[in-house]
């Protein structure tokens, strides 16, 4: 996968304009989109999509440490790219100091797939999930097919 500093999946990683070498990592999950998968499968106070996103933030912090740097949560949303719609989104932001060039790819390759796995585990669907990062179009089709499948099962 070609390294780019800004990508759109459920994650946006871009340079911090106020500090050379630092990155802003914004992640978000469209809660509305995942409702067919999560509805009725969790405690109302703990949505699997939102909780999965929160747990992924710790994974990203651990990846930063593995790459000889660190990440810390940012208060306030720092990425205008997310959320792209008027739907309900849960979002998180991290500042990654002095990030090596390989880190954005590593974050994306890990985080997108692991977020789906965390949502699936908490929702107890037992779905067959990809083991590697899908292209944006493939990811869109995959999530939509899961939502359609579980919306039918819930009906």
């Amino acid at each position: 996968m070609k390294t780019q500093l800004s990508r759109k999946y459920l994650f946006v990683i871009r340079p911090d304009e106020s500090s050379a070498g630092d990155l802003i990592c914004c992640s978000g999950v469209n809660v509305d989109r995942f409702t067919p998968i999560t509805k009725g499968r969790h405690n109302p106070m703990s949505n699997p999509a939102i909780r999965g996103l929160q747990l992924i933030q710790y994974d990203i912090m651990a990846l930063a440490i593995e790459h000889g740097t660190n990440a810390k949560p940012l208060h306030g949303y720092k990425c205008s790219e997310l959320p792209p719609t008027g739907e309900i989104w849960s979002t998180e932001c991290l500042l990654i100091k002095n990030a090596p060039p390989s880190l954005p790819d590593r974050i994306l390759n890990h985080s997108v797939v692991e977020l789906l796995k965390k949502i699936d585990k908490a929702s107890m669907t037992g779905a067959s999930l990809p083991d590697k990062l899908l292209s944006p179009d493939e990811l869109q089709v995959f999530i939509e097919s899961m939502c359609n499948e579980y919306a039918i099962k819930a009906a």
Side-chain angles (χ1 to χ4, degrees):
M1 179 183 333
K2 185 177 175 186
T3 300
Q4 298 175 3
L5 290 179
S6 178
R7 300 200 187 159
K8 295 180 184 177
Y9 287 88
L10 304 171
F11 298 83
V12 174
I13 302 170
R14 64 168 179 76
D16 180 6
E17 296 163 0
S18 65
S19 181
D22 295 350
L23 297 175
I24 303 288
C25 179
C26 299
S27 54
V29 63
N30 183 325
V31 178
D32 289 339
R33 172 171 283 170
F34 285 97
T35 296
I37 299 169
T38 63
K39 186 176 182 181
R41 294 182 171 89
H42 62 87
N43 176 324
M45 299 302 289
S46 180
N47 182 296
I50 295 170
R51 184 67 181 138
L53 184 64
Q54 292 167 339
L55 293 172
I56 287 298
Q57 294 306 292
Y58 294 114
D59 288 357
I60 294 171
M61 288 182 207
L63 287 171
I65 290 169
E66 283 178 24
H67 284 81
T69 185
N70 63 41
K72 66 177 186 174
L74 290 174
H75 300 289
Y77 198 65
K78 306 293 183 200
C79 290
S80 61
E81 297 89 348
L82 290 173
T85 68
E87 297 171 307
I88 298 172
W89 278 73
S90 178
T91 58
E92 300 282 340
C93 286
L94 293 171
L95 173 64
I96 303 172
K97 302 295 282 178
N98 300 312
S102 61
L103 190 55
D105 276 338
R106 184 84 162 91
I107 288 170
L108 288 175
N109 287 326
H110 172 82
S111 299
V112 174
V113 172
E114 286 302 311
L115 176 60
L116 293 175
K117 289 179 180 179
K118 288 178 187 324
I119 292 169
D120 179 69
K121 185 175 181 178
S123 300
M124 300 178 288
T125 60
S128 178
L129 301 172
D131 289 326
K132 63 181 177 92
L133 182 63
L134 302 174
S135 73
D137 291 339
E138 291 171 322
L139 183 62
Q140 178 79 20
V141 168
F142 178 80
I143 292 170
E144 286 176 2
S145 69
M146 276 189 71
C147 289
N148 289 339
E149 177 183 347
Y150 289 101
I152 291 169
K153 288 180 180 180

